[in-house]
């Protein structure tokens, strides 16, 4: 937001505006893939023609999980862009959209997306019934989606998201 305020104050606006159409959505994991987030791209500069919308989906650790690009025409008035959100684990994500023309970012917008899910552990299975005090604990944790092997010196913890 600060960067956009500085561009406006400096009179460096590009004539393209990317904005979010609705409040931050929460979507159930079983409903994905879907298009729950909508962005509106509008142009007031008649000289702008074709460009690209770049969309990234990032997780809480700022890792890019998906990046897509879509060719668009900025002269068509308001354009509604709904990126396809893939099946994601439960948690908080950020959806970023940039309007780009010839390598220059004209405007951008971001929206938080919360994926909800009821996820439970099915089983914790150690490799054997007893472990010696100086022996490492090992086994498997089964949930609805995966089986994960563990090898711990003294304890086991599991995150459900």
């Amino acid at each position: 937001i600060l960067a956009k305020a500085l561009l406006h104050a400096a009179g460096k606006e590009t004539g393209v505006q990317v904005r979010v159409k609705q409040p931050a959505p929460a979507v159930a994991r079983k409903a994905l893939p879907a298009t729950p987030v909508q962005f509106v791209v509008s142009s007031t500069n008649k000289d702008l023609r074709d460009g690209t919308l770049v969309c990234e989906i990032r997780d809480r650790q700022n890792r890019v999980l998906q990046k897509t690009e879509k060719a668009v025409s900025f002269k068509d008035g308001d354009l509604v862009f709904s990126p396809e959100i893939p099946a994601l684990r439960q948690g908080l994500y950020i959806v970023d959209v940039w309007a780009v023309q010839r390598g220059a970012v004209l405007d951008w917008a971001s929206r938080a997306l919360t994926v909800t899910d009821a996820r439970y552990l099915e089983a914790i299975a150690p490799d054997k019934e007893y472990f010696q005090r100086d022996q490492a604990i090992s086994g498997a944790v089964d949930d609805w989606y995966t089986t994960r092997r563990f090898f711990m010196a003294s304890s086991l913890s599991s995150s459900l998201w």
Side-chain angles (χ1 to χ4, degrees), residues 71-84:
V72 295
S73 176
F74 294 127
K75 63 181 178 178
D76 293 339
D78 284 356
L79 168 73
V80 177
F81 176 62
S82 299
E84 178 83 13

Side-chain angles (χ1 to χ4, degrees), residues 65-128:
L65 304 176
Q66 176 178 301
K67 183 173 183 175
T68 58
E69 295 184 9
K70 178 182 179 182
V72 295
S73 176
F74 294 127
K75 63 181 178 178
D76 293 339
D78 284 356
L79 168 73
V80 177
F81 176 62
S82 299
E84 178 83 13
I85 307 297
L88 299 168
R89 296 173 71 182
Q90 69 182 17
L92 178 65
Y93 298 89
I94 300 295
V95 181
D96 297 315
V97 172
W98 297 282
V100 179
Q101 186 180 45
R102 292 189 299 270
V105 176
L106 303 175
D107 198 24
W108 67 92
S110 298
R111 169 58 64 212
L113 171 69
T114 303
V115 176
T116 60
D117 193 8
R119 185 171 174 184
Y120 303 99
L121 293 178
E122 286 186 11
I124 299 176
D127 284 339
K128 58 185 186 176

Side-chain angles (χ1 to χ4, degrees), residues 8-113:
H8 177 73
K12 301 286 185 184
E13 293 178 328
T14 62
V16 173
Q17 183 182 27
V18 180
R19 61 188 188 279
V20 179
K21 189 170 181 177
Q22 82 279 15
V27 61
R29 185 180 192 282
K30 64 184 176 184
L32 294 175
T35 57
V37 181
Q38 291 184 333
F39 294 88
V40 176
V41 181
S42 55
S43 175
T44 58
N45 187 341
K46 301 301 180 196
D47 295 330
L48 290 175
R49 303 236 185 276
D50 297 332
T52 305
L53 292 179
V54 178
C55 177
E56 282 186 357
I57 300 171
R58 295 180 288 118
D59 64 9
R60 292 178 69 118
Q61 287 75 38
N62 206 31
R63 292 182 299 231
V64 177
L65 304 176
Q66 176 178 301
K67 183 173 183 175
T68 58
E69 295 184 9
K70 178 182 179 182
V72 295
S73 176
F74 294 127
K75 63 181 178 178
D76 293 339
D78 284 356
L79 168 73
V80 177
F81 176 62
S82 299
E84 178 83 13
I85 307 297
L88 299 168
R89 296 173 71 182
Q90 69 182 17
L92 178 65
Y93 298 89
I94 300 295
V95 181
D96 297 315
V97 172
W98 297 282
V100 179
Q101 186 180 45
R102 292 189 299 270
V105 176
L106 303 175
D107 198 24
W108 67 92
S110 298
R111 169 58 64 212
L113 171 69

